[in-house]
Amino acid sequence: MRKKILFITGSINQTSQMHQISEHLSDFDCWFSQLFADNNFLKGILKYTPVANHTVLADHFRKKSENYLSHFGAQIDRGGNRHPYDLVVNCTDMIVAKKFRHTKTIWVQEGMIDKTTLLTGLVKALNLPPYCSGDTSLNGSTNVCDIYCTASIGYKNYFARKGTDPSKLIVTGIPNYDNQRQYLDNDFPLHDYVMVATTDMRETYRFENRAAFIRHAANIADRRQLLFKLHPNENVPRAEAEIKKYAPEGTLIFSNGNTNHMIANCCELITQYSTVVYTGIALGKKVHSYFDIEELYRLAPVQNGGTSAKNIAQICRQYIDFTGKKEDFLKGFTFKAESEPYLEVRYA
């Protein structure tokens, strides 16, 4: 029988990454499950409160992921109950089901990690579950998975500083952010505007002064054409009303469309806490962010021509076939990337 791999999915970005990795593992029996709660505390939050409605644990995220996977004929196993699995590939290490703690596990970075806050420090100090931080600030830093696949050397160093064993961290690149120059060839009809990519801070219970941010973006644009691309998790009617109220007349608003194509055609990119800032960096755009810009250039995902999924699949394949103790695998493992980075991002 073929060995079985379970891919844990979340947002569409996470889900598409997992699917891309699985395409290089067709000789294995691949299954998919949306991230799920496996303890009574989390189950109670999901059932009796709205707190998790804007997280990937919510049912509407699961439906989006399953619809995406069904389009490709992928096999769904909600909660990972159908089979015993030889390997579990996680999109987050903030929730790793207890039943998989003795299974071989690999974590794959999705994108940007939220800023560390006072609450993050408190959660760590009190040894609380990492999801108690209410954001992704502890993602990649729990050290519970066997192997961690990271976007760049910068992120490898970042996760090591945050608590993950450096020997577990392998720079593979991440599938949806490793070949950004492909987006230069697009049919988006507009060019040379200042683009604003918003973040779903309010929907995820974080404070934001949206009016002040819109005015800030308008000051940066300095009478140049402004284009807002809303986060897919945002309250669209509210966001549109605010932009129309506080932005200059003629500002363009998009709630749908290919964000990467829009970035490829812009002359300057303004973000808040959005991973798409890395698209702008890779394409040589001037970028703005609530994160430190120099740090973003150090963290920027490697550009390897779209071979990250194959890199990660290579690790999955060798690890699943390893017959020794889990902790001994990395001692004798040498990772060879499928392609060397073709673009070194440097801070100008």
Side-chain angles (χ1 to χ4, degrees), residues 43-327:
K43 289 177 181 178
I45 288 176
L46 287 167
K47 186 174 182 179
Y48 298 112
T49 78
V51 171
N53 285 355
H54 292 283
T55 74
V56 295
L57 291 169
D59 200 48
H60 63 94
F61 277 98
R62 177 189 60 77
K63 289 177 181 177
K64 286 180 181 179
S65 292
E66 291 183 356
N67 287 340
Y68 175 94
L69 293 166
S70 295
H71 175 75
F72 294 98
Q75 301 180 111
I76 309 295
D77 179 11
R78 291 182 193 172
N81 294 317
R82 287 195 179 193
H83 308 286
Y85 287 95
D86 300 285
L87 175 68
V88 177
V89 185
N90 294 280
C91 64
T92 177
D93 66 337
M94 295 173 65
I95 300 175
V96 177
K98 290 181 180 178
K99 64 183 175 182
F100 297 141
R101 292 298 176 93
H102 298 291
T103 306
K104 293 176 178 178
T105 53
I106 293 176
W107 175 84
V108 177
Q109 184 180 351
E110 173 201 13
M112 183 174 281
I113 307 298
D114 285 337
K115 270 189 174 181
T116 299
T117 65
L118 290 174
L119 182 57
T120 307
L122 185 63
V123 168
K124 290 212 73 168
L126 297 177
N127 200 29
L128 296 172
Y131 53 76
C132 291
S133 65
D135 54 28
T136 67
S137 59
L138 290 172
N139 199 14
S141 64
T142 67
N143 202 39
V144 297
C145 294
D146 303 327
I147 299 170
Y148 283 72
C149 297
T150 72
S152 64
I153 293 174
Y155 267 116
K156 176 179 179 176
N157 295 334
Y158 175 89
F159 294 126
R161 291 195 305 271
K162 296 298 182 180
T164 292
D165 183 346
S167 68
K168 293 182 177 183
L169 294 158
I170 302 174
V171 180
T172 57
I174 50 177
N176 287 339
Y177 288 92
D178 61 0
N179 188 23
Q180 303 305 77
R181 67 181 181 185
Q182 68 179 299
Y183 301 120
L184 293 171
D185 182 15
N186 67 73
D187 58 2
F188 189 66
L190 305 176
H191 295 267
D192 301 325
Y193 43 82
V194 177
M195 178 174 169
V196 183
T198 60
T199 302
D200 60 341
M201 286 187 283
R202 291 174 292 184
E203 286 75 13
T204 51
Y205 309 105
R206 292 174 286 172
F207 172 76
E208 179 193 357
N209 186 335
R210 179 57 67 89
F213 174 67
I214 294 170
R215 293 190 185 104
H216 175 62
N219 287 336
I220 292 173
D222 192 23
R223 295 187 294 277
R224 291 175 292 173
Q225 176 68 62
L226 262 177
L227 182 153
F228 277 76
K229 173 60 172 64
L230 303 181
H231 190 281
N233 200 27
E234 273 198 85
N235 179 329
V236 173
R238 176 178 65 182
E240 288 182 339
E242 291 166 335
I243 294 167
K244 289 174 182 176
K245 182 176 181 179
Y246 297 109
E249 187 176 350
T251 295
L252 303 172
I253 307 171
F254 289 83
S255 58
N256 295 297
N258 191 309
T259 303
N260 293 314
H261 290 175
M262 296 178 192
I263 294 172
N265 290 5
C266 79
C267 60
E268 198 163 338
L269 176 64
I270 304 168
T271 64
Q272 296 171 293
Y273 296 116
S274 176
T275 305
V276 301
V277 70
Y278 290 136
T279 302
I281 288 172
L283 296 179
K285 308 294 181 179
K286 182 176 182 180
V287 299
H288 306 264
S289 173
Y290 284 175
F291 287 98
D292 179 78
I293 297 298
E294 291 191 40
E295 178 70 1
L296 289 179
Y297 276 83
R298 287 191 290 271
L299 296 174
V302 296
Q303 300 297 296
N304 56 27
T307 59
S308 297
K310 198 170 183 180
N311 288 337
I312 297 165
Q314 174 200 150
I315 296 170
C316 293
R317 183 180 302 280
Q318 294 189 50
Y319 189 36
I320 201 172
D321 287 337
F322 181 70
T323 56
K325 294 181 180 179
K326 291 198 301 180
E327 55 269 23

